[in-house]
Amino acid sequence: MKKSLIVHSLVIFTLSCTTLKLAEPTEIDVEKGKDIFPNLTLEELKEGKKLYQNNCNLCHKLYNPKALNEAEWRKIIPPMVKKVNKKLGQQILSSQDEEKILKYVLVIQQR
Ligand code: HEC
């Protein structure tokens, strides 16, 4: 009885902590995204998702790609990438990584 209660609480806790379910990029996103990034590839979008998911929730929850507009994302991502590198104490994210994160959020927000 007690054990099942603990398991139950854990499930509730896990669910309530589950951050935003990030959209998985597809070829349709690639096609749409080419309006903004002509040489866009699916690989880049997938990497962008991973980089975003793994590095951008160290201090706060992940923001929905639709939460900010294009200009806002372009402005916020560079300083946030610097924050990641500063927090982790090394050059974890390169400028190419920064570009991929930008591509991911800008393309996915078009959905
Ligand atoms: C070291 C902590 C830290 C990390 C890592 C971090 N952020 Fe932030 N983020 C903040 C803080 C603090 C704020 C609020 C104040 C500010 O804008 O500096 C913020 C605010 C934001 C906002 C809201 C901006 C707005 O206009 O409302 C967005 C979007 C954001 N971060 C995205 C990111 C992304 C994308 C990454 C990964 C590349 C990231 N953050 C990584 C600390 C962090």
Side-chain angles (χ1 to χ4, degrees), residues 93-109:
L93 297 178
S94 65
S95 50
Q96 288 94 314
D97 294 336
E98 180 178 313
E99 190 69 18
K100 285 174 192 162
I101 295 174
L102 183 69
K103 287 178 177 177
Y104 175 73
V105 294
L106 292 187
V107 170
I108 291 299
Q109 77 167 192

Side-chain angles (χ1 to χ4, degrees), residues 51-52 55-63 67-68 72-73 76-77 79-87 93 101 105:
L51 291 166
Y52 181 56
N55 297 288
C56 299
N57 60 356
L58 302 175
C59 307
H60 48 68
K61 65 177 173 49
L62 290 177
Y63 284 79
L68 283 76
E72 289 167 335
W73 276 118
I76 197 79
I77 286 183
M80 287 297 149
V81 164
K82 287 205 186 75
K83 276 186 192 284
V84 172
N85 287 337
K86 198 166 167 210
K87 183 166 175 83
L93 297 178
I101 295 174
V105 294

